[in-house]
Amino acid sequence: MEIVSIEDFYKQTSYKNDDGDVISLLPKDFSREIGHFNVFSIEEITKQFMEKPVMPYNRRAYYKISLIRGRNKAEYADKVIDIEKNALLFASPKIPYHYVPKDTNQSGHFCVFTDEFLIKNKSGVVLDDLPIFKSGGYPVFQLSEGEVEDINYIFKKMHKELSSDYAYKYDLIRNYVLELIHYGQKLQPVTALYTSHNASARVSSLFIELLERQFPIESPQQKLNLRTAKDYADRLAVHVNHLNKVLKENTGKTTTDLISGRIIREAKILLKQTDWNVSEIAYSLGFEEVAHFSNFFKKQTSVTPLGFRT
């Protein structure tokens, strides 16, 4: 599963002008910023998005807040949320989702930012501790016209400040982002959720995406966040038995089999391609005791980790 970075986002939204020149929306000072933020008008880039109307399931290594005006469909795990008119949508690298415009009449605004932009010593918050970015939720909020007016005003302040030469403009913009987050947290999320006919395949796809995003392990200090079937079920907001059932139907394997197989594959890579000791590898793969890792590895491969390494 490919990781879509903030740089990839800009590549996806580049376009050609009438002279055939490629126009990129990537700011010239991008590499010099500590963290990154940008804000867009949906109307101005609808043409580029409509050429690729279906947003794939992938890992987006940035946060996104959208004021959507138009008919759309948002999919989270085995749930589908229809947006008939106005909605506020929050997306994070933690919660995979699928987003499909249902017509070309789209307007509104969205902003993208990295976690470094709202790092705690600048914003006073930890993004993933905020309720709106917790896993297992459905952060889509239907809006009244009055609420649209309020949120639209916040986005307009973002646009205005971003184009200014005020030395502390990013401090102000952080406050505007937090204002949007708190506005959303006071709203009631959409509750009209239903299961679609292809929910089984979608849950399987999202599980594989969540599994693969744990890898590769690049340092002994890195540690798997999701280790058990329940961890994945909780992240996808489905019951663990349901997750196991759909994976068995779609892959022929249980949730535990798939997790174990991927961990063993990574363990073999680390044993052969790094000089980390077995204790470091065990820790990075989520084992608190090296003996547990050794027993797990031998059960899966019939050899010990040291035996495999030699």
Side-chain angles (χ1 to χ4, degrees), residues 35-295:
H36 180 71
F37 171 88
N38 210 341
V39 62
F40 302 90
S41 165
I42 290 176
E43 292 165 297
E44 292 177 3
I45 60 173
T46 292
K47 181 179 178 181
Q48 286 74 48
F49 281 143
M50 287 303 107
E51 290 173 358
K52 301 175 182 178
V54 177
M55 185 182 70
Y57 289 116
N58 51 32
R59 180 182 178 183
R60 286 168 291 282
Y62 54 89
Y63 293 78
K64 182 178 180 182
I65 305 176
S66 307
L67 169 61
I68 300 168
R69 308 202 70 180
R71 295 179 63 248
N72 293 272
K73 180 173 68 174
E75 300 176 350
Y76 291 78
D78 65 341
K79 306 295 191 299
V80 177
I81 303 170
D82 274 331
I83 301 167
E84 292 301 327
K85 195 172 183 182
N86 306 312
L88 184 62
L89 187 150
F90 293 81
S92 82
K94 203 171 184 179
I95 305 174
Y97 75 103
H98 190 55
Y99 175 76
V100 185
K102 295 171 75 173
D103 59 38
T104 57
N105 186 24
Q106 304 289 321
S107 63
H109 308 270
F110 70 89
C111 63
V112 294
F113 54 94
T114 58
D115 53 357
E116 294 89 355
F117 181 72
L118 280 186
I119 197 166
K120 186 176 181 181
N121 64 2
K122 294 180 181 178
S123 65
V125 301
V126 177
L127 277 173
D128 287 341
D129 287 346
L130 294 170
I132 208 155
F133 290 123
K134 288 285 188 183
S135 60
Y138 308 102
V140 178
F141 306 88
Q142 302 276 22
L143 302 173
S144 67
E145 288 300 326
E147 289 165 341
V148 168
E149 189 175 330
D150 291 341
I151 295 166
N152 193 56
Y153 178 64
I154 299 171
F155 274 106
K156 284 185 175 180
K157 290 192 292 184
M158 288 179 174
H159 283 285
K160 181 178 179 181
E161 204 56 54
L162 192 63
S163 62
S164 76
D165 56 4
Y166 179 50
Y168 301 100
K169 64 182 179 182
Y170 287 107
D171 292 327
L172 264 179
I173 290 171
R174 284 186 192 93
N175 289 332
Y176 298 152
V177 173
L178 288 172
E179 189 176 356
L180 278 179
I181 289 170
H182 288 297
Y183 197 108
Q185 288 183 164
K186 292 191 293 183
L187 296 171
Q188 291 298 311
V190 175
T191 55
L193 307 174
Y194 60 90
T195 303
S196 71
H197 68 281
N198 63 343
S200 176
R202 187 164 58 250
V203 170
S204 296
S205 173
L206 287 174
F207 168 80
I208 297 301
E209 188 264 331
L210 283 175
L211 179 63
E212 288 299 326
R213 80 161 60 173
Q214 307 293 307
F215 305 97
I217 300 295
E218 297 176 329
S219 81
Q221 289 72 45
Q222 184 180 344
K223 188 176 182 180
L224 294 186
N225 293 317
L226 305 175
R227 278 286 282 110
T228 68
K230 188 176 186 306
D231 290 338
Y232 286 89
D234 288 346
R235 182 64 60 86
L236 294 170
V238 298
H239 193 279
V240 67
N241 291 343
H242 177 66
L243 177 60
N244 198 56
K245 178 176 178 289
V246 299
L247 288 175
K248 190 74 173 176
E249 289 173 353
N250 284 275
T251 71
K253 297 181 179 180
T254 67
T255 313
T256 300
D257 288 341
L258 290 166
I259 296 169
S260 297
R262 186 62 183 88
I263 290 174
I264 282 294
R265 194 159 87 238
E266 192 70 12
K268 289 178 176 179
I269 292 171
L270 296 175
L271 286 166
K272 289 291 189 182
Q273 299 183 11
T274 75
D275 60 359
W276 306 353
N277 61 46
V278 174
S279 179
E280 289 174 322
I281 293 173
Y283 174 81
S284 68
L285 292 175
F287 295 87
E288 296 300 332
E289 300 290 339
V290 68
H292 295 164
F293 170 64
S294 295
N295 291 337

